[in-house]
Amino acid sequence: MELLLNLLAGGAGNLAAYLAAHVLLCLLPAFFIAGAMSALIPKPAITRWLGRNTSPAIAYPAAAAAGSLLAVCSCTIVPLFAGIHRKGAGLGPAMTFLFFAPAGNVLALSYTGAILGGEFALARFVLSLLFGIGIGLLMALIFWRDDADHDAQTDSLFAGQASLGVAAGGVLLSMLALLLAGTLKLEPLTATMIAVSLPLPWAEAWQSQLLDWVPFDAAKGEEGVSVQGSMMIALLFLIGVSAWKGLENITEGANRWTWTALVLAAVTLLVAALRLVPHAEGLTVELPGRVIAVGTAIGALLHFARKLPADDWRAWLWETWRFVRQIFPLLVIGVFVVGVIRQLIQPEWIQALAGRNDVVANAVAVAFGVFMYFPTLVEVPVARMFLDLGMHKGPLLAYLMADPELSLQSILMIAAVIGRAKTAAYVALVALFSIAAGLLYGAWVDGARIGPIALGLSGFVALLAIALAALHARRSRSIPLKGEHA
Amino acid sequence: MTTVKILGTGCPNCRRLEAVAREAAASAGVDAEFVKITNIDEILAHDVFATPGLVIDDKVVSTGRIPTAAEIRQWLGR
């Protein structure tokens, strides 16, 4: 009985700490950005670089860009993947798109950065980009005969002109600024400019009450909840209620609840940027530079958003709300479960299995990633748990590369589109490259000299370039490309 | 008789598009047959690569978004 209570307390504590500390400043803007990308970036602006006649030097980077900018949900991923493979640039770019999408999208990157650190997010981004293109090229080389079987299709599917409007571009940029202003840990953002002391004698009692409920223990990776954190949880709850009433039917027009939800979201971001320190006489409110940066970004966002046509901003809010509704409940459950499980796992097990950076540890991490299936983004709090329990950062990255790319669900989906032989090759390549990525990053964390790693990576890039040239030569020899007859 | 096709692999947006389209057809008094296309090959055959797609009488009228009921009524009215 006591064990059960301990487990539940662990889960609830983990959840409260996450909601209070991490989620808001990164996830709130990230959801809005994902919604805007989905609703405001015209797909032809990127997909026209993915047509059948595009040279690989353009198609592969374009596929990666599509993965990171367009593919925020399976609604886009599956048709676009099948479309690139069958009617567009072919197998290689389709694989690059598929591999890079889960690691390169804005939600995954900002969430990884907030929970595991910016350096880790950067490593995840760079290595998945590099290896995504590598896997795409290898697949195209291995299966080049099949790829040449493309039936004669016109390029119309991926043609079409479209560019990002000024207002939509402004919205995206100011939201990106908002995300950075809220999360970067730089001097002018963190320095306190003004401090105001409020006579709120209950503040300290409330803080000790909170610490009683959610204990703070850095050694066990427990984070606790601050007075500010409790305000954030309350605001988050209010946003949830008003968003439910205001955004559910947003495509047919806005109502009063819509504006309530949006104003609350802005207020939440501003409150999150403050620093609240409870003491014996009351509560000190410190205003760091971050408040001004966040406020300015919100102002810019408002300026550009007002210029959007009604259809566009409604679609934007709808997509944002849809992502929240689709991902957030699973994330909440996932974080809770991670909190429960953390109480059960002994750190010694993790340290014995993956405490060092060697091939075995990286392989174990990848195997775990392949056989476990976590819903979107839940892999990140799981990774955090492993980090706290003593997993080495190298195998941790290997796990993070393999887990979202390879789940049973995605393997079935890929097999339906490209067949079993190619799927098997893809799975093997992802496993291999994830292990390599883990070893590389782990060596770098352990302080290996930057020279050999840079040398290895640039060697890899050079190999890729040679493969690219070979592929292009093969393709143009084997398929008479449309438009080259003239 | 109008044929309305909903193209989508079953994601939330596709279900919502179907609801909006049915509502639009009902309110416009159009007698329409609804067909759901979930097979990825058939979706691609319509040259649609962003779901949900809406096809009215074999013409693709919208892709990658959920149109409003008013828009769908206009398309149905042609």
Side-chain angles (χ1 to χ4, degrees):
Chain A
M1 191 62 207
E2 196 182 339
L3 176 73
L4 189 71
L5 277 180
N6 265 341
L7 292 182
L8 290 181
N14 201 32
L15 185 56
Y18 264 81
L19 289 183
H22 296 296
V23 167
L24 288 161
L25 275 179
C26 95
L27 267 194
L28 203 63
F31 271 119
F32 275 95
I33 295 178
M37 283 177 167
S38 189
L40 303 182
I41 297 183
K43 294 187 176 63
I46 293 172
T47 52
R48 69 190 167 112
W49 303 112
L50 291 168
R52 279 179 57 66
N53 299 338
T54 320
S55 113
I58 293 169
Y60 284 87
S68 125
L69 296 177
L70 301 182
V72 217
C73 107
S74 61
C75 287
T76 325
I77 291 180
V78 180
L80 201 50
F81 168 62
I84 300 171
H85 172 232
R86 299 237 175 110
K87 295 188 166 185
L91 180 64
M95 289 337 283
T96 299
F97 166 76
L98 195 65
F99 183 83
F100 190 54
N105 74 66
V106 61
L107 278 171
L109 274 180
S110 53
Y111 197 46
T112 309
I115 289 186
L116 295 169
E119 181 193 280
F120 203 90
L122 191 70
R124 190 183 182 193
F125 179 82
V126 171
L127 288 170
S128 338
L129 179 63
L130 218 56
F131 289 172
I133 293 181
I135 288 175
L137 278 169
L138 280 171
M139 290 290 288
L141 281 172
I142 297 171
F143 295 102
W144 73 277
R145 259 173 225 286
D146 297 8
D147 223 20
D149 288 345
H150 269 130
D151 46 337
Q153 291 270 4
T154 57
D155 219 4
S156 68
L157 178 60
F158 288 106
Q161 298 285 322
S163 53
L164 197 63
V166 175
V171 164
L172 279 167
L173 282 180
S174 42
M175 270 191 306
L176 200 63
L178 183 59
L179 183 67
L180 292 177
T183 47
L184 282 185
K185 292 184 172 64
L186 292 178
E187 179 56 38
L189 290 176
T190 50
T192 301
M193 296 178 309
I194 309 169
V196 187
S197 205
L198 299 176
L200 298 172
W202 47 265
E204 200 177 37
W206 177 232
Q207 177 67 77
S208 53
Q209 179 67 60
L210 284 169
L211 286 180
D212 195 34
W213 284 335
V214 185
F216 170 75
D217 185 351
K220 285 172 74 184
E222 288 169 346
E223 299 173 60
V225 173
S226 59
V227 167
Q228 192 173 10
S230 67
M231 288 171 68
M232 307 280 235
I233 294 178
L235 277 165
L236 197 65
F237 180 75
L238 289 177
I239 293 177
V241 172
S242 49
W244 195 274
K245 294 193 170 206
L247 296 180
E248 194 64 23
N249 281 312
I250 184 70
T251 43
E252 300 293 334
N255 60 26
R256 219 179 300 158
W257 288 105
T258 314
W259 307 124
T260 315
L262 293 179
V263 169
L264 276 173
V267 169
T268 308
L269 288 173
L270 285 172
V271 171
L274 295 173
R275 206 176 297 129
L276 305 182
V277 187
H279 50 81
E281 289 88 55
L283 189 66
T284 303
V285 179
E286 295 179 0
L287 264 75
R290 194 184 297 288
V291 179
I292 293 179
V294 168
T296 313
I298 291 178
L301 179 58
L302 197 66
H303 169 77
F304 288 112
R306 286 164 66 103
K307 292 187 181 165
L308 285 176
D311 272 357
D312 281 3
W313 61 254
R314 283 178 195 166
W316 168 31
L317 291 180
W318 164 252
E319 290 296 324
T320 303
W321 172 238
R322 194 172 60 76
F323 285 133
V324 172
R325 230 181 41 172
Q326 189 184 338
I327 294 174
F328 200 67
L330 291 172
L331 201 56
V332 165
I333 297 169
V335 167
F336 180 84
V337 172
V338 166
V340 170
I341 292 176
R342 176 189 275 165
Q343 310 290 322
L344 295 174
I345 300 183
Q346 300 297 320
E348 295 78 32
W349 304 347
I350 303 293
Q351 274 152 19
L353 271 175
R356 323 157 301 285
N357 184 43
D358 57 20
V359 177
V360 179
N362 278 287
V364 166
V366 168
F368 179 79
V370 173
F371 288 110
M372 292 304 283
Y373 174 66
F374 299 113
T376 320
L377 293 187
V378 176
E379 76 267 6
V380 180
V382 171
R384 173 72 206 211
M385 173 183 83
F386 284 141
L387 185 67
D388 291 339
L389 288 172
M391 190 161 170
H392 193 282
K393 279 189 170 182
L396 194 69
L397 185 82
Y399 155 71
L400 260 189
M401 301 263 294
D403 181 76
E405 267 80 4
L406 293 181
S407 63
L408 198 60
Q409 192 194 15
S410 69
I411 290 176
L412 285 176
M413 188 270 286
I414 302 168
V417 176
I418 62 176
R420 286 203 197 132
K422 286 177 199 160
T423 309
Y426 175 68
V427 171
L429 282 175
V430 170
L432 213 65
F433 277 71
S434 301
I435 293 174
L439 284 172
L440 266 177
Y441 181 63
W444 187 73
V445 170
D446 279 347
R449 272 173 307 134
I450 208 80
I453 295 178
L455 203 68
L457 272 179
S458 44
F460 179 70
V461 172
L463 266 180
L464 286 188
I466 295 168
L468 191 85
L471 182 69
H472 194 45
R474 263 183 179 177
R475 278 193 79 170
S476 46
R477 248 185 289 130
S478 57
I479 330 166
L481 291 178
K482 245 186 174 24
E484 286 186 6
H485 298 293
Chain B
M1 181 80 159
T2 311
T3 308
V4 177
K5 288 187 197 165
I6 314 283
L7 314 182
T9 47
C11 58
N13 271 0
C14 316
R15 289 197 289 277
R16 189 177 166 84
L17 172 64
E18 191 192 352
V20 175
R22 280 185 188 276
E23 182 199 311
S27 70
V30 173
D31 183 21
E33 184 198 3
F34 281 83
V35 186
K36 279 171 85 171
I37 310 273
T38 52
N39 184 317
I40 189 74
D41 286 312
E42 284 183 60
I43 295 175
L44 284 181
H46 285 87
D47 280 359
V48 165
F49 61 93
T51 55
L54 183 65
V55 177
I56 296 178
D57 284 338
D58 286 324
K59 188 177 187 319
V60 179
V61 289
S62 90
T63 65
R65 68 188 189 96
I66 302 172
T68 62
E71 273 179 287
I72 300 178
R73 272 195 296 276
Q74 268 186 357
W75 292 325
L76 285 169
R78 273 177 322 178

